[in-house]
């Protein structure tokens, strides 16, 4: 009887051991950071660097981090500046973080501002990427003023599918027109919140970069 | 208060409807009074008996468990007592092997010393000087008068001189021999001391043995008491078991604290070995691996303790041959040593990783203030971590001792707690039984309270009828009293006769002992 029990226990352990390899991704975090590079917002990129560094410091082995730019047509892999899934070994992951930081530093030095701002395309790209990765927590960070400006002919009135996603708007700066009529700013935020929540996602805004501790859960 | 339209008997008059409903319900309840009372009483009785039965069963179970607990407690006490007695005998054996094995040598030494002393004693014996044989011959010569003859005087003088010389020589010889005897006696002193020392050693050994034997006697008495299974011994063992439970629990809690520290030392570097992102059953594999290492260390510690016969959790190990057991001690110690070395290495790795992390965070956040500790002092924490990584596995080895006590006392404590729980449950069931019994009675009363109106009507009618009947009967009785008085007298006489005749008939039938006649008699009587 005892032998049967032990065999059963061993078998169940083996089974769970095998199955754990398949869904190991379910315990990892996926973060996709969209950086607005349109117009004068490129001046804010040093703040984006801070956010990237902070996020890098907080991520662990197995987590995925992608930094992509928002430009005229953001629904493209070409806009991905750097992406990484950290190695299982912490020492290797630390090396990867250093390389990642260097890449971002280089990008910030030579970034060119784009004429248009395709935020929707960026979010769609992020959704697609993170769904492929099958991370347990999926977070899209949008470093932008949330003012979307699309090139003529681009169709972006597409509903989002954001079940299980956290969408965080960072450093949503007030434009000159917002200062004249603050309702514009509020409407802009409300509109994005509506779109995200209708898609099933969680919407959050963090303008104070001192509160980044809530950024990565 | 709103009443649904479907419940309104008289439309637009809820009060009247309520009244009618009340009357209707009262009438229905009154009609169903008897069966309802019976149902309530029987239901309450069923519940009462069921609860009582349950309570009685639990009390019975508690008593059985108590007996079983006593058996277990006594058995454990017996085993413990046996162990103590066994240890005492082992000690006695060791003492006998160690001390009494030297007894033959001691005896030989003492006998040799005694022989030497004997020889010395004989040598030191005073040999009286032999009196010269010619001394008596001189006596008549000494009586010769020297006044007449000078020659005789000369002869006597020369004899005196010779005698003096002989005396001096004898005295010198005597002194020499005395000196020699004293020398022999002096030689005896160390031998005597040696004998005294040997005897005092033997005395000490015997004393120790006597003390051990008295201890064994005491434990044997306890063992006998346990065998008798007296209540006093049970109480003693029970309290001892409870004390053991709490003490061992406390020590185990400390050991768990040590194990947690150990876990934290090796969990992070384990990620370097098995990966930091793989999960199993909701836990990180690195954490599971670290835990497994600690558990393996604890297991090795258990085996080591078992092999050394300090604990007796596995009788198989205890029953092994001494040679095999010794090999097992070596194997488990080697494993433990290797695991401790691995832990030490992992602790070193942990320090390197934390340094790397700190450097990375400082590089990323540009926050040098977060890392104020000088790198030159890092070796202290590194050495401390490595030392802890090496020492903790060996410290965890000793968990086996409180663990054994905890497991043994746990059975007793659980038994006592469970007996208490059973008694408490039994009491609760009896309480519920009584509650159900009296609630049945209360329900009957409440039922009657609801139908107080029809009951009141019933009582009034019954009372009136009974008064009417009583008055009618009294009048009739009064008129018939006179006429019947004589008849009654006759009737009483007749009835007395009848009774007498019945008695006679019954006596006759009983005597016959015939069943058929008895039935006939009964028919007659009826």
């Amino acid at each position: 009887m005892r032998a049967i029990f032990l065999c059963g226990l061993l078998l169940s352990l083996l089974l769970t051991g095998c199955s754990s390899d398949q869904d190991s991704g379910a315990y990892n975090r996926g973060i996709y950071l969209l950086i607005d590079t349109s117009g004068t917002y490129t001046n804010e990129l040093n703040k984006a660097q801070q956010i990237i560094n902070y996020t890098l410091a907080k991520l662990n082995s197995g987590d995925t981090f992608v930094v992509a730019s928002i430009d005229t047509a953001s629904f493209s892999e070409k806009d991905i500046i750097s992406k990484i899934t950290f190695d299982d070994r912490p020492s290797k992951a630390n090396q990867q973080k250093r390389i990642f930081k260097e890449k971002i530093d280089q990008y910030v030095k030579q970034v060119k501002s784009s004429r248009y701002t395709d935020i929707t395309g960026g979010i769609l790209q992020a959704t697609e990427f993170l769904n492929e990765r099958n991370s347990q927590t999926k977070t899209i960070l949008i470093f932008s003023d949330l003012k979307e400006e699309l090139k003529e002919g681009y169709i972006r009135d597409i509903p989002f599918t954001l079940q299980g996603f956290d969408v965080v708007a960072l450093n949503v700066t007030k434009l000159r027109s917002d200062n004249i009529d603050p309702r514009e700013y509020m409407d802009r935020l409300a509109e994005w919140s509506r779109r995200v929540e209708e898609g099933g996602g969680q919407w959050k805004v963090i303008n104070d970069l001192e509160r980044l501790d809530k950024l990565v859960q | 208060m709103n009443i649904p339209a479907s419940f309104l008997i008289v439309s637009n008059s809820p009060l009247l409807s309520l009244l009618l409903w009340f009357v209707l319900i009262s009438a229905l309840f009154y009609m169903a009074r008897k069966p309802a009372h019976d149902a309530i009483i029987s239901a309450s009785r069923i519940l009462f008996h069921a609860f009582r039965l349950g309570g009685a069963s639990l009390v019975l179970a508690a008593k059985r468990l108590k007996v079983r607990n006593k058996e277990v407690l006594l058995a454990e006490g017996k085993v413990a007592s046996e162990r103590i007695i066994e240890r005492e005998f082992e000690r006695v054996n060791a003492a006998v092997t160690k001390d009494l094995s030297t007894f033959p040598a001691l005896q030989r030494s003492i006998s040799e010393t005694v022989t030497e002393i004997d020889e010395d004693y004989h040598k030191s014996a005073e040999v009286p000087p032999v009196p010269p044989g010619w001394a008596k011959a001189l006596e008549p010569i000494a009586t010769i008068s020297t006044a007449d003859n000078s020659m005789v005087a000369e002869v006597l003088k020369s004899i005196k001189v010779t005698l003096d010389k002989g005396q001096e020589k004898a005295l010198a010889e005597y002194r020499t021999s005395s000196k020699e005897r004293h020398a022999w006696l002096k030689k005896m002193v160390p031998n005597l001391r040696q004998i005294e020392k040997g005897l005092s050693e033997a005395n000490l050994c015997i004393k120790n043995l006597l003390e051990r034997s008295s201890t064994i006697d005491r434990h044997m008495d306890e063992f006998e008491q346990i065998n008798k299974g007296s209540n006093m011994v049970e109480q003693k063992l029970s309290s001892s078991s409870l004390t053991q439970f709490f003490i061992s629990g406390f020590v185990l809690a400390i050991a768990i604290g040590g194990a947690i520290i150990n876990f934290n030392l090796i969990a992070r570097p384990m990620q370097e070995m098995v990966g930091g992102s793989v999960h199993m059953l909701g836990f990180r594999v690195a954490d599971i691996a670290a835990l497994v290492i600690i558990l393996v260390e604890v297991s090795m510690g258990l085996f080591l303790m078992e092999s050394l016969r300090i604990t007796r959790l596995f009788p198989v190990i205890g029953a092994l041959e001494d040679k095999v057991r010794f090999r097992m001690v070596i194997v488990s110690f080697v494993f433990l040593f290797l695991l401790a070395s691995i832990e030490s290495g992992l602790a070193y790795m942990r320090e390197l990783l934390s340094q790397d992390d700190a450097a990375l965070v400082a590089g990323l956040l540009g926050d040098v203030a977060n890392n104020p500790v000088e790198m030159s002092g890092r070796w202290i924490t590194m050495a401390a971590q490595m030392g802890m990584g090496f020492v903790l596995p060996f410290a965890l080895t000793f968990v086996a001792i409180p663990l054994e006590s905890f497991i043994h006392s746990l059975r007793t404590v659980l038994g006592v707690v469970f007996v208490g729980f059973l008694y408490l449950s039994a009491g609760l069931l009896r309480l519920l039984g009584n509650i159900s019994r009296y609630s049945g009675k209360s329900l009957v009363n409440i039922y009657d309270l609801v139908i107080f109106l029809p009951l009141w009507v019933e009582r009034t009618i019954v009372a009136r009828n009974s008064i009417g009947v009583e008055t009618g009967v009294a009048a009739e009785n009064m008129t018939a009293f006179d006429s019947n008085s004589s008849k009654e007298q006759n009737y009483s006489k007749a009835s007395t006769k009848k009774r007498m005749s019945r008695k006679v008939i019954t006596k006759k039938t009983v005597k016959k002992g015939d069943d058929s006649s008895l039935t006939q008699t009964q028919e007659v009587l009826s």
Side-chain angles (χ1 to χ4, degrees):
Chain A
M1 191 67 188
R2 195 180 287 178
I4 293 166
F5 173 74
L6 279 172
C7 286
L9 192 73
L10 261 174
L11 196 69
S12 59
L13 271 173
L14 275 171
L15 284 171
T16 46
C18 292
S19 62
S20 69
D21 284 338
Q22 288 168 357
D23 60 7
S24 62
Y27 291 94
N28 302 327
R29 293 173 288 188
I31 294 177
Y32 199 107
L33 174 64
L34 292 164
I35 302 173
D36 192 344
T37 56
S38 64
T40 53
Y41 204 79
T42 44
N43 297 332
E44 303 280 329
L45 280 179
N46 57 337
K47 288 181 183 172
Q49 265 182 303
Q50 272 182 40
I51 292 164
I52 291 165
N53 289 343
Y54 181 83
T55 313
L56 279 173
K58 287 284 171 185
L59 292 176
N60 294 325
S61 300
D63 293 340
T64 301
F65 188 36
V66 183
V67 178
S69 62
I70 297 172
D71 54 12
T72 308
S74 306
F75 187 59
S76 165
E77 282 85 3
K78 284 177 189 170
D79 286 320
I80 292 174
I81 302 159
S82 185
K83 61 179 176 181
I84 191 101
T85 299
F86 295 112
D87 196 84
D88 271 351
R89 287 172 299 162
S91 56
K92 179 80 178 166
N94 283 353
Q95 283 176 15
Q96 288 173 323
K97 284 176 187 176
R98 287 190 180 99
I99 294 165
F100 196 94
K101 184 185 180 289
E102 278 172 20
K103 259 188 180 178
I104 296 297
D105 290 349
Q106 242 173 356
Y107 171 77
V108 170
K109 277 176 196 167
Q110 59 189 28
V111 67
K112 288 173 188 171
S113 62
S114 64
R115 288 183 65 187
Y116 298 98
T117 318
D118 177 17
I119 300 171
T120 308
I123 292 175
L124 289 171
Q125 178 61 35
T127 314
E128 195 184 48
F129 185 90
L130 290 177
N131 277 334
E132 256 182 47
R133 289 282 164 177
N134 192 26
S135 304
Q136 192 194 19
T137 59
K138 295 167 209 165
T139 311
I140 300 171
L141 308 174
I142 307 167
F143 185 76
S144 167
D145 54 14
L146 297 180
K147 177 87 176 169
E148 189 165 52
E149 288 167 327
L150 295 170
K151 197 179 176 184
E152 206 178 323
Y154 281 72
I155 299 160
R156 289 292 184 266
D157 54 345
I158 305 160
F160 297 131
T161 312
L162 293 167
Q163 272 89 10
F165 277 81
D166 285 324
V167 182
V168 185
L170 297 162
N171 195 41
V172 185
T173 50
K174 280 100 185 171
L175 304 171
R176 194 173 294 165
S177 57
D178 295 338
N179 216 352
I180 295 163
D181 184 2
R183 282 177 297 179
E184 264 187 42
Y185 177 78
M186 288 169 194
D187 289 346
R188 205 162 64 239
L189 283 179
E191 173 61 14
W192 278 108
S193 172
R194 184 190 62 75
R195 286 184 72 186
V196 168
E197 281 167 3
E198 274 179 6
Q202 295 274 328
W203 174 257
K204 207 184 333 181
V205 179
I206 298 176
N207 278 333
D208 183 6
L209 296 185
E210 299 292 316
R211 285 170 52 226
L212 286 178
D213 51 321
K214 290 178 183 173
L215 195 65
V216 184
Q217 300 288 324
Chain B
M1 196 176 82
N2 289 327
I3 299 169
S6 55
F7 285 96
L8 284 173
I9 297 170
V10 181
S11 55
N12 300 327
S13 179
L15 200 68
L16 195 63
S17 298
L18 267 176
L19 196 68
L20 282 171
W21 271 117
F22 178 72
V23 171
L24 197 67
I25 288 166
S26 295
L28 283 172
F29 270 44
Y30 177 73
M31 281 187 277
R33 190 184 173 224
K34 178 86 173 61
H37 277 194
D38 289 347
I40 290 167
I41 295 292
S42 64
S44 70
R45 272 184 191 162
I46 287 167
L47 282 174
F48 170 69
H49 286 296
F51 282 130
R52 289 276 296 204
L53 198 69
S57 317
L58 286 181
V59 168
L60 202 69
K63 279 177 183 168
R64 276 183 194 162
L65 190 64
K66 215 174 169 182
V67 171
R68 178 74 191 130
N69 282 349
K70 189 179 175 180
E71 281 171 10
V72 170
L73 199 64
L74 290 175
E76 278 179 3
K78 208 171 162 181
V79 169
S81 196
E82 274 173 5
R83 271 174 79 171
I84 292 167
I85 291 166
E86 200 179 305
R87 283 278 154 90
E88 286 298 331
F89 273 117
E90 276 171 11
R91 279 173 192 154
V92 167
N93 185 39
V96 167
T97 317
K98 190 186 159 193
D99 301 328
L100 296 187
S101 63
T102 58
F103 265 41
L106 186 71
Q107 192 201 359
R108 197 171 60 245
S109 160
I110 288 170
S111 64
E112 278 172 7
T113 315
V114 166
T115 315
E116 273 180 32
I117 288 168
D118 192 42
E119 283 171 4
D120 290 347
Y121 175 73
H122 281 296
K123 282 173 186 170
S124 67
E126 192 178 355
V127 183
V130 183
W134 44 265
K136 283 184 180 178
L138 286 176
E139 278 178 14
I141 296 165
T143 54
I144 298 168
S145 171
T146 54
D148 300 334
N149 197 345
S150 61
M151 199 174 157
V152 172
E154 281 295 320
V155 169
L156 287 174
K157 200 177 175 181
S158 68
I159 286 168
K160 189 180 178 270
V161 169
T162 309
L163 277 172
D164 285 344
K165 277 182 183 174
Q167 192 183 356
E168 274 175 15
K169 197 181 172 185
L171 194 67
E173 276 177 8
Y174 179 72
R175 278 179 182 159
T176 310
S177 69
S178 289
K179 202 176 176 182
E180 277 176 5
R181 281 200 304 277
H182 278 122
W184 286 117
L185 285 170
K186 203 175 179 182
K187 217 176 155 187
M188 277 166 70
V189 174
N191 287 334
L192 286 168
R193 277 184 190 150
Q194 199 181 338
I195 287 169
E196 191 193 357
K197 194 184 164 191
L199 285 173
S200 64
E201 275 175 12
N203 185 38
L204 196 70
C205 291
I206 299 297
K207 207 176 169 185
N208 278 341
L209 279 177
L210 284 171
E211 277 174 11
R212 292 256 175 254
S213 67
S214 64
T215 313
I216 289 169
D217 281 346
R218 203 178 68 240
H219 289 305
M220 280 305 285
D221 286 341
E222 278 178 17
F223 187 72
E224 277 172 15
Q225 289 289 322
I226 291 167
N227 268 343
K228 280 178 190 167
S230 64
N231 285 332
M232 196 186 76
V233 170
E234 189 199 348
Q235 280 172 6
K236 196 179 165 186
L237 287 173
S238 182
S239 67
S240 162
S241 196
L242 280 171
T243 314
Q244 280 296 311
F245 178 77
F246 286 113
I247 291 170
S248 56
F250 178 67
V251 177
L252 272 182
I254 293 168
I256 288 167
I260 290 168
I261 291 170
N262 208 358
F263 173 81
N264 283 321
L265 270 178
I266 60 170
R268 171 111 172 95
M270 263 294 174
Q271 291 178 13
E272 283 291 314
M273 290 165 72
V274 294
S277 62
V278 188
H279 288 72
M280 188 196 281
L281 300 169
F283 297 98
R284 203 179 277 172
V285 170
D287 292 350
I288 295 171
L291 195 68
V292 166
I293 284 186
I294 291 165
L295 290 176
V296 169
E297 283 167 2
V298 172
S299 309
M300 284 301 136
L302 278 175
F303 291 143
L304 188 64
M305 287 289 169
E306 282 291 316
S307 309
L308 290 169
R309 280 193 177 163
I310 293 169
T311 57
R312 290 187 184 186
L313 283 168
F314 304 101
V316 180
I317 298 174
L320 285 174
E321 278 178 39
D322 284 356
K323 204 176 171 183
V324 181
R325 224 164 29 80
F326 184 68
R327 278 180 195 161
M328 213 167 156
V329 168
I330 292 169
V331 168
S332 45
F333 183 78
V334 166
F335 270 112
L336 206 58
F337 185 81
L338 288 174
L339 285 167
S341 307
I342 289 167
E343 270 206 21
S344 193
L346 286 172
Y348 175 71
M349 187 73 199
R350 181 180 186 272
E351 185 58 27
L352 289 183
L353 281 172
S354 58
Q355 278 180 24
D356 189 34
D357 283 350
L360 178 76
V361 169
L364 287 172
L365 304 179
D367 189 10
V368 186
N370 274 346
N371 194 19
V373 182
E374 274 189 34
M375 295 303 279
S376 58
R378 283 273 181 181
W379 69 270
I380 299 170
T381 51
M382 193 182 280
Q385 285 188 32
M386 286 178 73
M388 276 167 74
F390 191 77
V391 169
L392 278 172
F394 289 105
L396 282 176
T397 303
F398 294 96
V399 170
I401 298 165
L403 185 71
E404 189 190 27
S405 297
F406 189 79
I407 288 168
H408 285 310
S409 56
L410 184 68
R411 167 66 185 83
T412 313
V413 172
L414 279 181
V416 169
V417 168
F418 201 60
V419 165
F421 174 74
L422 283 177
Y423 274 123
L424 192 75
S425 307
L428 206 69
L429 284 180
R430 288 178 77 170
L431 182 75
L432 284 172
N434 283 330
I435 287 170
S436 61
R437 186 186 184 185
Y438 289 107
S439 61
K441 285 181 181 175
S442 301
L443 274 174
V444 166
N445 290 335
I446 290 164
Y447 190 95
D448 284 352
L449 190 70
V450 173
I451 55 165
F452 72 94
L453 199 63
L455 282 176
W456 176 74
V457 173
E458 183 199 333
R459 267 190 224 116
T460 317
I461 291 164
V462 168
R464 253 184 217 168
N465 285 345
S466 64
I467 289 164
V469 168
E470 276 172 15
T471 47
V473 168
E476 280 173 14
N477 284 345
M478 283 297 283
T479 49
F481 181 73
D482 294 330
S483 60
N484 287 342
S485 58
S486 57
K487 281 181 187 175
E488 272 177 12
Q489 282 173 359
N490 296 332
Y491 178 75
S492 62
K493 281 176 185 171
S495 61
T496 318
K497 274 182 184 174
K498 263 186 184 176
R499 273 181 218 139
M500 290 298 287
S501 64
R502 275 176 197 166
K503 277 181 185 173
V504 171
I505 292 162
T506 44
K507 273 179 185 172
K508 280 177 182 173
T509 49
V510 168
K511 272 180 185 172
K512 280 178 184 173
D514 190 0
D515 290 343
S516 58
S517 63
L518 186 67
T519 49
Q520 281 172 0
T521 318
Q522 281 171 348
E523 279 172 13
V524 169
L525 282 173
S526 66

